Amino acid sequence: MSDSIIEVQGVTKQVTDATGTLTILHDIGFTLRARESAAIVGASGSGKSTLLAIIAGLDVPSTGKVILAGTDLFALNEDQRAEVRAQHLGFVFQSFQLLGNLTALENVMLPLELMGRGDARRQATEMLQRVGLGERLGHYPKVLSGGEQQRVALARAFVVRPAVLLADEPTGSLDFATGETVMALMFELNREAGTTLVMVTHDRTIAARCDRQLKIEAGRLLS
């Protein structure tokens, strides 16, 4: 498909230990178009987060391919995959993954600085204002609420204008009301940026807001 941004082809993941071989993912295949949103849903231990890590090139499948923005991820070495991630992907995690020794502004500036962008401070300031944290630029993560930390994480993810945003249980550490606010903001930013969203979630209401739901059960894709 010419407008596909992610192609997952025959992905299987097996791990072997003293007790034998466990298959975590069985022959997973699907395609996502640019600007499409998809929720990966299923019970704990079904393989959702493993699949997300493979899409990101952070974990390597036992068999199969992931083609991201036209690039076969597993035909590359680890450094080359890191370069593709930097060019195309943004990440939002359940645990925020902010650097505690950096202010909100510095956390959002960091990916821009790593890309060599001279306007990192201006871009990061504007993005933090966009997520409602214009008054918190100089605050460190430890003095921000969970919802504020996740909004900093959203700003950091979107400031590089990624083609794909990967989100792993983005509301998992938040109370219901805060989670609702953060998700509304994520979907807004996603629409504005024209990003493809792939999100692991247990929350059926959030999953229903995506264009597609990819249901994983015991490592198999049901839909």
Side-chain angles (χ1 to χ4, degrees):
M1 195 181 296
S2 59
D3 64 347
S4 64
I5 187 80
I6 296 170
E7 295 175 54
V8 177
Q9 303 175 357
V11 162
T12 296
K13 179 68 178 181
Q14 295 178 320
V15 292
T16 302
D17 63 16
T19 62
T21 299
L22 174 67
T23 302
I24 299 171
L25 295 172
H26 299 258
D27 193 27
I28 304 285
F30 61 88
T31 300
L32 292 176
R33 299 188 308 276
R35 298 175 177 264
E36 200 168 10
S37 59
I40 301 174
V41 297
S44 292
S46 59
K48 303 186 302 298
S49 292
T50 300
L51 177 57
L52 198 72
I54 288 172
I55 293 170
L58 292 166
D59 196 356
V60 178
S62 302
T63 64
K65 286 185 178 184
V66 174
I67 298 171
L68 175 65
T71 300
D72 182 348
L73 283 182
F74 301 108
L76 307 176
N77 64 33
E78 208 166 312
D79 288 344
Q80 291 168 326
R81 286 200 298 274
E83 202 171 304
V84 171
R85 276 196 295 278
Q87 288 172 352
H88 298 293
L89 296 182
F91 295 91
V92 178
F93 301 96
Q94 177 177 338
S95 55
F96 318 132
Q97 301 280 11
L98 300 178
L99 294 174
N101 61 330
L102 300 183
T103 64
L105 180 60
E106 290 165 344
N107 265 285
V108 179
M109 286 173 63
L110 185 61
L112 293 167
E113 290 174 330
L114 293 171
M115 294 167 74
R117 295 278 288 274
D119 59 349
R121 181 171 292 273
R122 179 182 63 79
Q123 292 267 25
T125 300
E126 288 175 3
M127 185 55 78
L128 282 164
Q129 289 168 341
R130 171 66 188 83
V131 300
L133 293 176
E135 305 300 311
R136 298 279 193 273
L137 302 182
H139 288 58
Y140 289 91
K142 67 182 179 185
V143 298
L144 298 174
S145 69
E148 287 171 335
Q149 289 186 63
Q150 197 60 301
R151 282 190 277 159
V152 174
L154 283 176
R156 181 183 58 189
F158 278 105
V159 77
V160 296
R161 302 217 163 261
V164 177
L165 180 71
L166 301 179
D168 194 358
E169 296 285 1
T171 61
S173 298
L174 306 175
D175 64 68
F176 177 77
T178 305
E180 287 284 292
T181 304
V182 165
M183 287 314 303
L185 180 60
M186 179 186 283
F187 279 108
E188 270 177 44
L189 292 169
N190 203 60
R191 275 194 304 275
E192 288 171 14
T195 303
T196 301
L197 173 64
V198 185
M199 173 170 49
V200 167
T201 182
H202 280 99
D203 189 318
R204 291 181 183 179
T205 309
I206 292 171
R209 296 178 64 175
C210 293
D211 299 325
R212 290 175 63 186
Q213 294 185 37
L214 302 168
K215 184 163 188 188
I216 306 285
E217 190 172 289
R220 299 182 189 276
L221 181 63
L222 301 187
S223 57

